[in-house]
Amino acid sequence: MFGKKVFILIGLLASFSMVGCQQTSEFTPQSEEDKVLYSFGAIFGQRLEQLELTDAEADMLLQGIRDQVTSRELKVNPDDYQMKIAEVLQGRVEGRAQAEKQKGSEYLNNFVSAQGGERTESGLAYKIHEAGEGQRPTPSDIVEVSYEGRLIDGTVFDASESPVTFPLNRVVAGWTEGLQKIAPGGKMTLVIPSDLAYGDGGFPPQIPGGATLVFDVELHSV
């Protein structure tokens, strides 16, 4: 069966058919309506980034949209390609996720071998900078933390501006496992493989499918 992520992408492609299109030549939005339509397209484009379309492929996609919204004769019957669309999208999504996993695995191995990290049975890697004092949290506890989350290329996708509070069992599995290793006042780095984070689907547009995530975390209280 095809993954839920693929059908979401198909739905996004279909929703383009409700919106007018400009010609393929580049242009600068002038009016407020231009800017609204351009922004709408850019937002949907973020959801399609994981397909890694070439310029030629993007032009072909836009041509199909243009022909549909301007009531031109379609060059291909879309009904004949419903299953093929799903197959191609699934392949693109899985291919990128696998590439991300490979890079993440290399990063995690280097973190353990060269940077003094430790690896758990689940595949999580961590390094404790300060152990903290007192009782360590359990999954059912509520924790107060400060953190910064990065992709393995150093891109920061999330960071707390001030300490945040949440139940430890309501976050990704890598956090739930990792935070149990330090006490209040503790600081650590977590390297979380995708299967303990957001999986093959990722969390577009900030986190691609298959991404390994790096977090610097300080535990303030339990």
Side-chain angles (χ1 to χ4, degrees):
M1 294 180 65
F2 298 111
K4 178 180 178 182
K5 197 73 178 179
V6 169
F7 286 105
I8 291 174
L9 287 171
I10 294 173
L12 290 173
L13 288 172
S15 66
F16 272 123
S17 65
M18 298 185 297
V19 185
C21 306
Q22 299 286 340
Q23 296 300 312
T24 53
S25 58
E26 292 188 9
F27 74 103
T28 301
Q30 300 295 333
S31 69
E32 284 303 299
E33 188 167 346
D34 283 346
K35 294 174 183 178
V36 167
L37 291 173
Y38 182 86
S39 297
F40 187 47
I43 289 169
F44 278 118
Q46 289 178 336
R47 308 310 198 270
L48 300 174
E49 281 182 343
Q50 61 185 307
L51 299 182
E52 297 187 323
L53 299 174
T54 65
D55 284 343
E57 289 171 333
D59 286 343
M60 188 60 65
L61 184 150
L62 291 172
Q63 184 63 53
I65 296 171
R66 185 175 299 106
D67 288 348
Q68 179 67 54
V69 300
T70 58
S71 299
R72 297 177 184 174
E73 181 180 355
L74 298 181
K75 300 171 179 63
V76 174
N77 182 356
D79 292 339
D80 295 338
Y81 284 85
Q82 290 294 329
M83 292 301 297
K84 188 65 175 178
I85 290 171
E87 291 173 7
V88 169
L89 294 184
Q90 181 79 11
R92 291 290 181 95
V93 170
E94 290 180 350
R96 180 167 182 180
Q98 289 303 316
E100 286 290 340
K101 287 181 179 180
Q102 179 61 36
K103 291 186 292 184
S105 177
E106 294 170 0
Y107 182 96
L108 191 149
N109 289 336
N110 181 70
F111 177 78
V112 172
S113 63
Q115 300 182 46
E118 298 184 60
R119 192 196 314 255
T120 70
E121 186 175 343
S122 71
L124 173 72
Y126 68 95
K127 183 176 182 180
I128 296 175
H129 307 294
E130 296 182 26
E133 296 182 355
Q135 184 173 351
R136 294 184 293 180
T138 66
S140 60
D141 286 330
I142 294 174
V143 296
E144 181 184 36
V145 302
S146 297
Y147 68 91
E148 178 182 87
R150 305 183 300 278
L151 303 179
I152 60 174
D153 66 2
T155 300
V156 176
F157 61 82
D158 192 16
S160 58
E161 296 182 359
S162 59
V164 295
T165 302
F166 51 78
L168 192 54
N169 59 5
R170 297 292 181 87
V171 290
V172 297
W175 266 73
T176 303
E177 179 183 358
L179 264 291
Q180 296 179 69
K181 297 184 177 298
I182 56 175
K187 298 179 181 180
M188 70 187 315
T189 298
L190 297 171
V191 180
I192 307 178
S194 63
D195 58 341
L196 298 177
Y198 292 100
D200 288 356
F203 196 81
Q206 295 92 347
I207 300 173
T212 293
L213 308 181
V214 183
F215 288 93
D216 289 325
V217 186
E218 179 178 0
L219 176 62
H220 297 293
S221 65
V222 179

